[in-house]
Amino acid sequence: MRYFNEPPTLGPMPAAPDSAPPRWCDLHLHSNASDGTDEPADLPRLCKAAGLSAFALTDHDTVAGVAACAAAAKKQKIDFVPGIELSVDPDVDGTGEPAGTLHLLGLFIDPGHPWLGEITQALTRARAERNPEIIRKLSGLGVRIAYDEVLDLAGPGTTVGRPHIAQVLVKKGYVKSVHEAFAKYIGSGGAAYARRDLMTAKEAIKGVHAAGGLALLAHPVQLRLPDEDRPGEALAHVVGRLKAQGLDGLETRHSDHAPADVARFEALADRLNLLTTGGSDYHGSRKSIQLGHAAVPRGVYERLRDEARRRWGPGRVVAGRKP
Ligand code: AMP
Ligand code: ZN
Ligand code: FE
Ligand code: FE
């Protein structure tokens, strides 16, 4: 299993010939509306330059970048998917397992839907309580940074998260890398970790559907399931539970997934009759992952788009280019 900031396992994408539309898409990207570093309006141009013909903006717990990104995508004539990445409670059946994180991607959402307005406000409030608690715990360990430094670095209107805190820790010389900041202090086992109250997966899936989106499980490897003894059993259980709660699909291709992971997740999606998605999880210069890195064929985007249209009609899909 690959995990955060390790060298890529998938090779560079072959360039598309000039006459054919680019064959690749990237359905998991962050902007500086959350913990990426690019302006939402710059992403369409960067995606085109990376040889992509469709992409999704999936900022953590916010849709603040979607409108600017959609407008720029239209100008650049690249297909755009309005999205969000929601952090939800990984304990899907109240057993205390799994230990990792559960992120749900909402793709093709209507960013103006009231549920998204309410939930993103609540999530911002939860972060505004959790982040200072991390700062307090750091201070107790002799690591002194001010929350204002973190807010300044993140910029106004941003979903402020641990990657911003990590960057301040690097800047002030407390750690050498973001990776070390997570491992030593702010990761889930770290000495300054603070959890926040998370909504249930069921609530998130229901909300994404209400907002006209498809709900897909992001990067299953980050659930950190204990799979050593019965490979795949624990994941099949969690995904089965989520499917019963309305889950539409799995993110099979992702920069944290080795080729063997992609194969087993594709097989699971096939077995459970779930859709698939894929993306790089690009965060601009904050992480080393390149745009288009997960090498997701354009057909993956087209299947999701067609399913969104089938359920909610063509008005739901913000397309920059005629299909
Ligand atoms: P937060 O939303 O504040 O809980 O932080 C989540 C963000 O932290 C996501 O972008 C993750 O990709 C990132 N993250 C979580 N664990 C690590 C890690 N060990 N190294 C680097 N980034 C991480
Ligand atoms: Zn992130
Ligand atoms: Fe994620
Ligand atoms: Fe992400």
Side-chain angles (χ1 to χ4, degrees):
M1 179 179 93
R2 295 189 56 245
Y3 208 72
F4 294 122
N5 297 333
E6 289 169 31
T9 46
L10 301 170
M13 300 181 301
D18 286 345
S19 56
R23 292 158 45 221
W24 307 99
C25 65
D26 189 338
L27 304 178
H28 189 154
L29 264 67
H30 296 269
S31 76
N32 63 12
S34 67
D35 56 355
T37 55
D38 295 299
E39 288 293 335
D42 290 341
L43 285 170
R45 182 177 47 79
L46 296 171
C47 284
K48 268 187 102 166
L52 302 167
S53 66
F55 75 100
L57 180 63
T58 54
D59 274 313
H60 297 285
D61 302 340
T62 183
V63 288
V66 167
C69 197
K74 214 166 181 174
K75 278 200 194 120
Q76 291 282 337
K77 297 192 182 351
I78 181 169
D79 289 323
F80 174 65
V81 181
I84 190 165
E85 182 173 20
L86 293 165
S87 304
V88 308
D89 190 340
D91 190 3
V92 294
D93 50 11
T95 58
E97 299 282 344
T101 52
L102 201 171
H103 287 175
L104 263 189
L105 295 166
L107 297 180
F108 298 101
I109 44 148
D110 168 6
H113 190 276
W115 181 79
L116 285 169
E118 280 162 33
I119 201 70
T120 55
Q121 272 179 30
L123 291 167
T124 302
R125 279 197 298 275
R127 282 175 183 274
E129 285 168 19
R130 193 265 318 237
N131 291 335
E133 193 184 338
I134 293 177
I135 305 294
R136 276 194 296 278
K137 285 189 173 177
L138 283 169
S139 171
L141 297 164
V143 176
R144 295 184 205 288
I145 61 169
Y147 190 37
D148 279 349
E149 291 174 86
V150 178
L151 293 175
D152 283 350
L153 182 131
T158 301
T159 302
V160 184
R162 288 176 291 160
H164 301 110
I165 298 174
Q167 201 173 330
V168 172
L169 291 176
V170 174
K171 208 168 90 186
K172 304 218 65 182
Y174 284 113
V175 288
K176 288 196 183 61
S177 65
V178 166
H179 188 79
E180 189 186 341
F182 273 90
K184 206 165 161 185
Y185 295 116
I186 60 177
S188 55
Y193 177 71
R195 57 160 293 146
R196 57 196 162 107
D197 286 335
L198 296 165
M199 69 185 131
T200 63
K202 193 174 173 184
E203 186 189 344
I205 293 167
K206 201 172 141 212
V208 165
H209 286 163
L214 300 170
L216 301 109
L217 171 63
H219 42 59
V221 292
Q222 290 185 22
L223 285 165
R224 302 212 192 211
L225 294 166
D227 255 347
E228 289 82 16
D229 47 352
R230 297 167 76 197
E233 283 291 305
L235 180 65
H237 171 75
V238 171
V239 174
R241 290 287 303 193
L242 293 171
K243 194 189 172 200
Q245 296 169 0
L247 187 78
D248 298 301
L250 293 183
E251 186 176 46
T252 58
R253 292 179 171 84
H254 182 274
S255 48
D256 282 344
H257 296 173
D261 293 321
V262 177
R264 70 190 172 102
F265 298 151
E266 292 272 333
L268 181 62
D270 206 40
R271 177 148 73 87
L272 297 180
N273 197 21
L274 288 163
L275 291 161
T276 65
T277 186
S280 62
D281 215 346
Y282 172 79
H283 280 70
S285 60
R286 193 160 276 124
K287 291 186 183 183
S288 60
I289 302 302
Q290 301 299 306
L291 276 171
H293 169 72
V296 184
R298 180 178 163 86
V300 171
Y301 156 75
E302 290 176 352
R303 271 192 296 281
L304 293 166
R305 177 200 60 193
D306 293 348
E307 178 61 17
R309 281 189 177 154
R310 194 184 65 75
R311 289 197 211 174
W312 295 290
R316 181 77 303 117
V317 181
V318 183
R321 196 153 63 85
K322 289 264 181 293

